[in-house]
């Protein structure tokens, strides 16, 4: 990967943080166009993957794919094969086509390991699909809650229900209880990228239960803590403010997908009021859909990340 490993949005925020020169040097070393052996074996041991894709209107959505470990496997360093397809009404189902851009997050919560793979659908058939690697890179373990996933299988779930506007009572309860969510973002040119950096990305966000505030009919605010300074998510949002969120009920397997319009609050009293926050993500919910019991994976009890000891809660929730 060359010096253009970062796209203009990522470079802009790295410059704002005063680290542009350092990240220009680091980028070509940490962003690869192939998977190292440890990433290839890591994906093969996972019972689920988080995926980011674009719908027909170019909006990112976050989804999850699950099966017995081994369903994701790498035949060579530049390709990942996924032997499962999305559930009914999941935006990923309509998005999958040869040439489409997707982002994958492999995460093993109980070991706090995670690796990212962004690339292009290389092949698609009745059993699954293959991705050609555009970018492959690791992420730090901060803010991952340690809970062990187990694939339980069972009868296929009915999939996602109809798409609605705003948040219903169940969605609000699910968001307020969450200690984790996943966020998919995309470069404005993701449908036809010129460079691997201009694709679709999906990432993890973690905090103490209640770290996502819900206001009114559908405004969410979440703290953004210090991380690896790649600014993949925020760099995309700086150029394209639409994102997809995925919330998971780790006990029941219920899923909640949201399409949101996001803005970043860099400073001010609200940022200062949340201990540990470097900035805030404020997100207006555009659409929501539920999939009750759709994730055939169950998780053990959670051990919160030790990095959360330096973070707080919303002042009115203390």
């Amino acid at each position: 990967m060359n010096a253009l490993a970062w796209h203009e949005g990522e470079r802009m925020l790295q410059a704002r943080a005063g680290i542009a020169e350092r990240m220009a040097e680091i980028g070509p070393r940490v962003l690869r166009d192939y998977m190292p052996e440890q990433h290839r074996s890591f994906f093969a041991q996972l019972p689920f993957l988080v995926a980011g894709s674009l719908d027909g209107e170019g909006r990112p959505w976050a989804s999850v794919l699950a099966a017995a470990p081994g369903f994701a496997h790498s035949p060579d360093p530049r390709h990942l094969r996924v032997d499962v397809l999305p559930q009914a009404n999941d935006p990923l189902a309509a998005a999958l086509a040869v040439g489409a851009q997707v982002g994958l997050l492999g995460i093993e919560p109980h070991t706090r390991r995670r690796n990212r793979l962004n690339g292009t659908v290389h092949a698609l058939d009745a059993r699954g699909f293959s991705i050609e690697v555009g970018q492959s890179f690791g992420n730090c373990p901060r803010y991952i809650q340690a809970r062990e996933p187990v694939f339980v299988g069972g009868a296929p779930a009915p999939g996602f229900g109809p798409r609605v506007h705003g948040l219903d009572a169940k969605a609000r309860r699910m968001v307020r209880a969450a200690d984790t969510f996943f966020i998919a973002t995309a470069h404005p040119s993701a449908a036809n990228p010129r460079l691997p950096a201009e694709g679709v990305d999906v990432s993890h966000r973690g905090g103490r239960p209640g770290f996502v505030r819900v206001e009114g009919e559908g405004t969410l605010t979440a703290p953004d803590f210090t991380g690896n300074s790649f600014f993949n998510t925020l760099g995309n949002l700086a150029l394209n403010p639409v994102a997809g969120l995925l919330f998971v009920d780790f006990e029941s397997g219920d899923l909640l997908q949201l399409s949101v319009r996001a803005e970043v609050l860099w400073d001010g009293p609200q940022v200062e009021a949340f201990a540990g926050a470097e900035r805030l993500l404020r997100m207006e919910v555009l659409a929501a859909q539920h999939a009750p019991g759709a994730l055939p994976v169950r998780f053990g009890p959670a051990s919160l990340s030790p990095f959360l000891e330096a973070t707080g809660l919303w002042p009115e929730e203390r």
Side-chain angles (χ1 to χ4, degrees), residues 143-190:
Y143 318 118
I144 297 176
Q145 327 306 355
R147 43 167 63 93
E148 186 165 5
V150 176
F151 177 72
V152 295
F160 285 89
R163 200 170 294 179
V164 298
H165 295 288
L167 298 175
D168 59 20
K170 179 180 178 181
R172 289 195 294 271
R173 287 194 301 270
M174 196 167 175
V175 172
R176 287 190 174 116
D179 60 33
T180 299
F181 69 90
F182 303 95
I183 179 168
T185 58
H187 187 276
S189 300

Side-chain angles (χ1 to χ4, degrees), residues 4 13 23 30 32 41 47 85 111 133 139 170 178 199 219 273 291 317:
L4 293 179
L13 298 194
M23 297 309 292
V30 299
R32 311 173 183 89
S41 60
L85 291 170
T111 64
V133 177
N139 271 166
K170 179 180 178 181
T219 299
E317 297 174 358

Side-chain angles (χ1 to χ4, degrees):
M1 303 292 286
N2 59 27
L4 293 179
W6 312 113
H7 65 61
E8 65 270 33
E10 295 163 334
R11 297 196 303 272
M12 179 174 65
L13 298 194
Q14 291 163 4
R16 178 173 184 148
I19 56 172
E21 187 174 332
R22 178 164 64 89
M23 297 309 292
E25 179 184 347
I26 290 174
R29 298 205 307 263
V30 299
L31 301 179
R32 311 173 183 89
D33 59 1
Y34 67 93
M35 287 182 289
E37 186 58 38
Q38 63 174 332
H39 288 197
R40 298 175 67 198
S41 60
F42 175 70
F43 277 106
Q45 67 195 37
L46 301 176
F48 75 101
L49 295 173
V50 184
S53 64
L54 296 177
D55 67 14
E57 299 177 25
R59 295 179 299 182
W61 288 86
S63 307
V64 62
L65 298 162
F71 80 97
H73 51 95
S74 173
D76 61 72
R78 294 185 181 274
H79 294 89
L80 184 74
R81 171 71 189 185
V82 179
D83 285 326
V84 69
L85 291 170
Q87 303 211 27
N89 296 328
D90 187 328
L92 180 61
L96 283 179
V98 173
Q101 297 298 303
V102 294
L104 291 182
L105 171 67
I107 183 168
E108 192 174 63
H110 60 294
T111 64
R112 296 194 168 100
R113 290 184 63 191
R114 56 175 167 161
N115 291 313
R116 307 256 277 278
L117 188 161
N118 302 336
T120 306
V121 176
H122 176 70
L124 175 67
D125 56 44
R127 294 180 57 244
F129 60 99
S130 297
I131 297 176
E132 184 175 15
V133 177
Q135 288 185 326
S136 171
F137 55 103
N139 271 166
C140 69
R142 295 182 186 184
Y143 318 118
I144 297 176
Q145 327 306 355
R147 43 167 63 93
E148 186 165 5
V150 176
F151 177 72
V152 295
F160 285 89
R163 200 170 294 179
V164 298
H165 295 288
L167 298 175
D168 59 20
K170 179 180 178 181
R172 289 195 294 271
R173 287 194 301 270
M174 196 167 175
V175 172
R176 287 190 174 116
D179 60 33
T180 299
F181 69 90
F182 303 95
I183 179 168
T185 58
H187 187 276
S189 300
N192 295 287
R194 298 163 298 170
L195 300 168
E198 297 179 347
V200 180
D201 184 77
V202 66
S203 186
H204 160 279
R205 291 293 188 271
R208 297 175 186 267
F211 81 116
V212 183
R213 183 170 64 186
V214 182
E215 303 170 86
E217 292 299 315
T219 299
L220 311 181
T221 308
D224 191 67
F225 305 126
T226 181
N228 56 21
S229 299
F230 290 3
F231 290 110
N232 304 119
T233 296
L234 299 189
N236 280 338
L237 292 177
L239 306 176
N240 178 18
V242 184
L245 308 184
L246 174 69
F247 289 86
V248 178
D249 185 317
F250 294 106
E251 293 185 3
S252 67
D254 290 357
L255 302 175
L256 171 66
Q257 284 179 319
L258 303 177
S259 176
V260 303
R261 182 175 299 277
E263 64 172 327
V264 180
L265 303 182
W266 292 93
D267 47 38
Q270 291 190 69
V271 178
E272 296 167 2
F274 199 106
E278 293 202 330
R279 58 197 72 84
L280 300 177
L281 271 177
R282 176 168 288 167
M283 299 166 283
E284 175 194 358
V285 176
L286 305 175
Q289 53 186 35
H290 291 277
L295 183 62
V297 176
R298 296 297 179 267
F299 294 77
S303 174
L304 294 183
S305 166
F307 287 92
L308 293 175
E309 294 176 5
T311 70
L313 288 172
W314 296 106
E316 64 270 23
E317 297 174 358
R318 288 176 181 167

